[in-house]
Amino acid sequence: MSSDTLTAILFIGVVLLTVGITFWASRQNKGAADFYAGGRSFSGFQNGMAISGDYMSAASFLGISGAIALYGYDGFLYSIGFLVAWLVALLLVAELLRNSGRYTMADQLAYRMRQRPVRTAASTSTVVVSIFYLLAQMVGAGALVALLLGAESQSAKNLTIIGVGLLMVFYVTVGGMKGTTWVQIVKAVLLMGGTILITILVLAKFDFNFSELLGAAASNTGKGDAFLQPGLKYGIDTTSKIDFLSLGLALVLGTAGLPHILIRFYTVPTAKAARTSVLWAIGLIGAFYLMTLALGFGAAALLDTGAGSKVAASGGNLASPLLAEAVGGGDGTTGGAVLLALISAVAFATILAVVAGLTLTSASSVAHDLYATVFKKGKATERDEVRVARISAFVIGGVAIALAIPAQKLNIAFLVALAFAVAASANLPSLIYNLFWRRFNTRGATWAIYGGLIASVGLVFFSPVVSGSETALFTGHDWSYFPLSNPGIISIPLGFFFGWLGTVTSDEPDTAARFTELEVRAFTGAGAEQAVRH
């Protein structure tokens, strides 16, 4: 059997498995609670698996290993940032949000605020953050399938992105949260299994001596000890040092504002199950990010990562699949072909699971927050809500496809870091203020969200990511007036500042009584099961 045939069989198998799960789950959906929150029927273990499946995205599997392969120590900072970010989200927001919300992030904000302005702002932010995150997953899909099919043409990559977009719309419109959750659970099992296998094979090449692996990586890249020390990507000059601080802030604070991660806590029946899911997620996510060390440095040690190589040309996104081929026996061998196909199919499953979760989150927010509350003023039926959510999934999928096609030259871990910056700037300030500041009010919430959103997206637009650099979205143009690639160091403080300013300049009636109710519910879970729209 040829490697191309094997690859095609594994890819088709992954797609058919996820499609089958989605059809099975669609028969379980009986109302809005099933579509949005899976009927709150998942156990702590199942939800922990799904959370890790949602969080360990293509950016983690492909982007971080690629960043380590290209930049050594500086690439590993992504692993540290993503892991620490998860712990911050758990400590500050996750369970409190679950206890005080219903389906979306806006439910918690609107509990003691005026419904329409807050839900409009939260829904807008949710869609923008999700689209940034979707770009990363779909760029990864294009690079992956082009490698496997040997189709290096731009049209083949574009067709792959369109195909992934259509699949993610299918998962959401047919399976809802139940289908999406089971796809994420299956994906987590496949990803952990594949990563463990490649990690063992890489370490076996160096007699399980990690120091020897690091030495080989430093030697093979031609960068020597500099590869194992800070400074290859960040710390070169003052601008890059500030850019590193900005990236760190975005990574550490961003997860606590990512709607598609936070709404996973609505799928369990009790606060105890939420805590159990957290424990499982921590274990799986922590183990995975430790293994990215072996993947990244293994790629640096065993592959050509220099200028003009496949790894460098893909922005590092192909490091893990090519490493799998190398440890399996190399190009042209049966073992290499099997492992390349296997790891690429796992990465594809990763992409499908994450894009489904992102699209569901955005569509749910549009239907539940904008349509049902803002436009219909709470009078929409559950059937109408679900119908609008399905229509929204098509629209969001189309936007993501259109934006992902020109973004294919960017490293996907870097693209996700931008999504984290937007989430930390727009969503986190309002969530933190709402949970812990009694005086916080509607104007503060909307100013925090819109202020952080406009600041972060605006700075990205005027950054080297969009123009003025060789890997920019628009090459040949230059309006990069903002020197940093990640806006977090400016936009996150601005989000908190606008939230404070909007609150202290407002003359709204005191909402202290509602704050007390929210506080009790958030910290104890009392009344959480009866959460309703207000």
Short mmCIF file of all heavy atoms in Angstrom, two decimals, residues 229-264:
data_model
loop_
_atom_site.label_atom_id
_atom_site.label_comp_id
_atom_site.label_asym_id
_atom_site.label_seq_id
_atom_site.Cartn_x
_atom_site.Cartn_y
_atom_site.Cartn_z
N GLN A 229 19.26 29.15 24.65
CA GLN A 229 19.20 30.32 25.53
C GLN A 229 18.26 31.36 24.94
O GLN A 229 17.97 31.34 23.75
CB GLN A 229 20.61 30.92 25.68
CG GLN A 229 21.59 29.97 26.36
CD GLN A 229 23.01 30.50 26.34
OE1 GLN A 229 23.27 31.59 25.84
NE2 GLN A 229 23.94 29.72 26.88
N PRO A 230 17.78 32.29 25.77
CA PRO A 230 16.89 33.34 25.26
C PRO A 230 17.60 34.22 24.24
O PRO A 230 18.81 34.41 24.30
CB PRO A 230 16.56 34.16 26.52
CG PRO A 230 16.91 33.29 27.68
CD PRO A 230 18.02 32.39 27.22
N GLY A 231 16.82 34.72 23.27
CA GLY A 231 17.37 35.74 22.39
C GLY A 231 17.27 35.49 20.91
O GLY A 231 17.50 36.39 20.12
N LEU A 232 16.90 34.25 20.47
CA LEU A 232 16.83 34.02 19.02
C LEU A 232 15.66 34.77 18.39
O LEU A 232 15.75 35.22 17.25
CB LEU A 232 16.70 32.52 18.73
CG LEU A 232 17.99 31.71 18.76
CD1 LEU A 232 17.72 30.27 18.38
CD2 LEU A 232 19.04 32.30 17.82
N LYS A 233 14.56 34.84 19.10
CA LYS A 233 13.40 35.55 18.56
C LYS A 233 13.08 36.80 19.37
O LYS A 233 12.74 37.84 18.82
CB LYS A 233 12.17 34.62 18.54
CG LYS A 233 10.93 35.27 17.91
CD LYS A 233 9.82 34.26 17.75
CE LYS A 233 8.55 34.89 17.20
NZ LYS A 233 8.74 35.47 15.85
N TYR A 234 13.18 36.68 20.69
CA TYR A 234 12.89 37.81 21.57
C TYR A 234 14.17 38.20 22.31
O TYR A 234 15.03 37.37 22.55
CB TYR A 234 11.79 37.45 22.57
CG TYR A 234 10.52 37.01 21.91
CD1 TYR A 234 10.13 35.67 21.91
CD2 TYR A 234 9.69 37.92 21.27
CE1 TYR A 234 8.97 35.25 21.29
CE2 TYR A 234 8.52 37.52 20.64
CZ TYR A 234 8.16 36.19 20.65
OH TYR A 234 7.01 35.79 20.03
N GLY A 235 14.28 39.46 22.69
CA GLY A 235 15.44 39.90 23.43
C GLY A 235 16.57 40.39 22.56
O GLY A 235 17.65 40.70 23.04
N ILE A 236 16.33 40.44 21.24
CA ILE A 236 17.37 40.89 20.32
C ILE A 236 17.60 42.40 20.49
O ILE A 236 18.71 42.88 20.48
CB ILE A 236 16.98 40.57 18.86
CG1 ILE A 236 16.75 39.06 18.72
CG2 ILE A 236 18.05 41.05 17.89
CD1 ILE A 236 16.09 38.66 17.43
N ASP A 237 16.52 43.13 20.62
CA ASP A 237 16.60 44.57 20.84
C ASP A 237 15.48 44.97 21.78
O ASP A 237 14.70 44.13 22.24
CB ASP A 237 16.51 45.34 19.51
CG ASP A 237 15.31 44.91 18.68
OD1 ASP A 237 14.25 44.59 19.28
OD2 ASP A 237 15.42 44.88 17.45
N THR A 238 15.36 46.26 22.06
CA THR A 238 14.36 46.72 23.03
C THR A 238 12.94 46.39 22.56
O THR A 238 12.09 45.96 23.36
CB THR A 238 14.49 48.25 23.23
OG1 THR A 238 15.81 48.52 23.69
CG2 THR A 238 13.48 48.74 24.25
N THR A 239 12.69 46.57 21.27
CA THR A 239 11.34 46.29 20.74
C THR A 239 10.97 44.83 20.93
O THR A 239 9.85 44.51 21.36
CB THR A 239 11.27 46.65 19.24
OG1 THR A 239 11.55 48.04 19.08
CG2 THR A 239 9.89 46.34 18.68
N SER A 240 11.90 43.92 20.64
CA SER A 240 11.58 42.50 20.77
C SER A 240 11.42 42.09 22.24
O SER A 240 10.66 41.18 22.56
CB SER A 240 12.64 41.64 20.08
OG SER A 240 13.87 41.72 20.76
N LYS A 241 12.14 42.77 23.14
CA LYS A 241 11.97 42.49 24.57
C LYS A 241 10.57 42.89 25.03
O LYS A 241 9.91 42.16 25.77
CB LYS A 241 13.03 43.23 25.38
CG LYS A 241 14.44 42.68 25.22
CD LYS A 241 15.46 43.51 26.00
CE LYS A 241 16.87 42.97 25.79
NZ LYS A 241 17.88 43.79 26.46
N ILE A 242 10.12 44.05 24.58
CA ILE A 242 8.77 44.49 24.93
C ILE A 242 7.74 43.58 24.29
O ILE A 242 6.71 43.24 24.88
CB ILE A 242 8.56 45.96 24.50
CG1 ILE A 242 9.53 46.87 25.25
CG2 ILE A 242 7.12 46.40 24.76
CD1 ILE A 242 9.52 48.30 24.77
N ASP A 243 8.02 43.15 23.04
CA ASP A 243 7.12 42.23 22.35
C ASP A 243 6.98 40.93 23.12
O ASP A 243 5.89 40.34 23.20
CB ASP A 243 7.65 41.95 20.95
CG ASP A 243 6.54 41.72 19.94
OD1 ASP A 243 5.36 41.74 20.34
OD2 ASP A 243 6.84 41.54 18.75
N PHE A 244 8.08 40.47 23.71
CA PHE A 244 8.04 39.25 24.51
C PHE A 244 7.15 39.42 25.75
O PHE A 244 6.34 38.56 26.08
CB PHE A 244 9.44 38.85 24.93
CG PHE A 244 9.46 37.84 26.04
CD1 PHE A 244 8.97 36.56 25.83
CD2 PHE A 244 9.93 38.17 27.30
CE1 PHE A 244 8.96 35.63 26.87
CE2 PHE A 244 9.91 37.25 28.33
CZ PHE A 244 9.44 35.98 28.11
N LEU A 245 7.30 40.55 26.43
CA LEU A 245 6.44 40.83 27.58
C LEU A 245 4.97 40.88 27.16
O LEU A 245 4.08 40.38 27.86
CB LEU A 245 6.84 42.16 28.22
CG LEU A 245 8.17 42.18 28.99
CD1 LEU A 245 8.49 43.60 29.45
CD2 LEU A 245 8.10 41.25 30.20
N SER A 246 4.73 41.47 26.00
CA SER A 246 3.37 41.57 25.49
C SER A 246 2.80 40.19 25.19
O SER A 246 1.64 39.88 25.53
CB SER A 246 3.38 42.42 24.21
OG SER A 246 2.08 42.80 23.84
N LEU A 247 3.62 39.34 24.58
CA LEU A 247 3.20 37.97 24.29
C LEU A 247 2.90 37.22 25.58
O LEU A 247 1.87 36.53 25.70
CB LEU A 247 4.29 37.25 23.51
CG LEU A 247 4.12 35.73 23.34
CD1 LEU A 247 2.95 35.43 22.42
CD2 LEU A 247 5.40 35.09 22.81
N GLY A 248 3.78 37.35 26.58
CA GLY A 248 3.59 36.66 27.85
C GLY A 248 2.30 37.07 28.53
O GLY A 248 1.54 36.24 29.03
N LEU A 249 2.03 38.38 28.56
CA LEU A 249 0.77 38.87 29.15
C LEU A 249 -0.43 38.28 28.43
O LEU A 249 -1.41 37.85 29.06
CB LEU A 249 0.72 40.40 29.07
CG LEU A 249 1.29 41.20 30.23
CD1 LEU A 249 1.21 42.68 29.91
CD2 LEU A 249 0.54 40.88 31.52
N ALA A 250 -0.39 38.29 27.11
CA ALA A 250 -1.52 37.79 26.32
C ALA A 250 -1.76 36.31 26.59
O ALA A 250 -2.91 35.87 26.76
CB ALA A 250 -1.28 38.02 24.84
N LEU A 251 -0.68 35.52 26.65
CA LEU A 251 -0.83 34.09 26.87
C LEU A 251 -1.35 33.77 28.27
O LEU A 251 -2.26 32.95 28.44
CB LEU A 251 0.50 33.37 26.64
CG LEU A 251 1.04 33.35 25.20
CD1 LEU A 251 2.37 32.62 25.15
CD2 LEU A 251 0.05 32.70 24.25
N VAL A 252 -0.78 34.43 29.27
CA VAL A 252 -1.13 34.10 30.65
C VAL A 252 -2.55 34.55 31.00
O VAL A 252 -3.28 33.86 31.72
CB VAL A 252 -0.11 34.73 31.62
CG1 VAL A 252 -0.56 34.62 33.06
CG2 VAL A 252 1.25 34.05 31.46
N LEU A 253 -2.97 35.69 30.47
CA LEU A 253 -4.30 36.22 30.81
C LEU A 253 -5.38 35.87 29.79
O LEU A 253 -6.56 36.00 30.07
CB LEU A 253 -4.22 37.75 30.96
CG LEU A 253 -3.29 38.26 32.07
CD1 LEU A 253 -3.26 39.78 32.06
CD2 LEU A 253 -3.73 37.74 33.43
N GLY A 254 -4.96 35.43 28.61
CA GLY A 254 -5.93 35.25 27.53
C GLY A 254 -6.93 34.14 27.72
O GLY A 254 -8.11 34.29 27.40
N THR A 255 -6.48 33.00 28.26
CA THR A 255 -7.38 31.85 28.39
C THR A 255 -8.60 32.18 29.23
O THR A 255 -9.71 31.71 28.95
CB THR A 255 -6.63 30.66 29.02
OG1 THR A 255 -5.52 30.34 28.18
CG2 THR A 255 -7.52 29.45 29.14
N ALA A 256 -8.42 32.99 30.26
CA ALA A 256 -9.53 33.35 31.14
C ALA A 256 -10.58 34.18 30.43
O ALA A 256 -11.67 34.40 30.98
CB ALA A 256 -9.01 34.11 32.36
N GLY A 257 -10.29 34.63 29.22
CA GLY A 257 -11.27 35.38 28.45
C GLY A 257 -11.72 34.69 27.19
O GLY A 257 -12.43 35.27 26.37
N LEU A 258 -11.29 33.42 26.99
CA LEU A 258 -11.67 32.70 25.78
C LEU A 258 -13.05 32.06 25.95
O LEU A 258 -13.20 31.11 26.72
CB LEU A 258 -10.64 31.60 25.46
CG LEU A 258 -9.28 32.07 24.95
CD1 LEU A 258 -8.35 30.88 24.78
CD2 LEU A 258 -9.41 32.83 23.64
N PRO A 259 -14.05 32.53 25.23
CA PRO A 259 -15.42 32.03 25.45
C PRO A 259 -15.57 30.54 25.18
O PRO A 259 -16.31 29.85 25.88
CB PRO A 259 -16.25 32.85 24.45
CG PRO A 259 -15.42 34.05 24.13
CD PRO A 259 -13.99 33.60 24.23
N HIS A 260 -14.86 30.00 24.17
CA HIS A 260 -15.07 28.59 23.82
C HIS A 260 -14.52 27.65 24.87
O HIS A 260 -14.93 26.49 24.96
CB HIS A 260 -14.48 28.28 22.44
CG HIS A 260 -12.99 28.18 22.41
ND1 HIS A 260 -12.18 29.30 22.50
CD2 HIS A 260 -12.14 27.13 22.29
CE1 HIS A 260 -10.92 28.93 22.44
NE2 HIS A 260 -10.86 27.61 22.32
N ILE A 261 -13.59 28.12 25.70
CA ILE A 261 -13.09 27.32 26.82
C ILE A 261 -14.05 27.45 28.01
O ILE A 261 -14.42 26.46 28.65
CB ILE A 261 -11.69 27.77 27.23
CG1 ILE A 261 -10.68 27.53 26.08
CG2 ILE A 261 -11.23 27.05 28.49
CD1 ILE A 261 -10.47 26.08 25.74
N LEU A 262 -14.47 28.67 28.29
CA LEU A 262 -15.28 28.92 29.48
C LEU A 262 -16.65 28.26 29.41
O LEU A 262 -17.17 27.78 30.42
CB LEU A 262 -15.42 30.44 29.69
CG LEU A 262 -14.09 31.17 29.95
CD1 LEU A 262 -14.32 32.66 30.04
CD2 LEU A 262 -13.42 30.66 31.21
N ILE A 263 -17.26 28.21 28.21
CA ILE A 263 -18.62 27.64 28.15
C ILE A 263 -18.60 26.12 28.34
O ILE A 263 -19.66 25.52 28.55
CB ILE A 263 -19.36 28.00 26.84
CG1 ILE A 263 -18.71 27.30 25.64
CG2 ILE A 263 -19.45 29.49 26.65
CD1 ILE A 263 -19.60 27.30 24.42
N ARG A 264 -17.43 25.51 28.28
CA ARG A 264 -17.38 24.06 28.51
C ARG A 264 -17.85 23.73 29.93
O ARG A 264 -18.31 22.62 30.19
CB ARG A 264 -15.95 23.54 28.31
CG ARG A 264 -15.51 23.47 26.85
CD ARG A 264 -15.08 22.06 26.49
NE ARG A 264 -16.06 21.09 26.91
CZ ARG A 264 -17.07 20.68 26.16
NH1 ARG A 264 -17.23 21.16 24.95
NH2 ARG A 264 -17.92 19.78 26.61
#
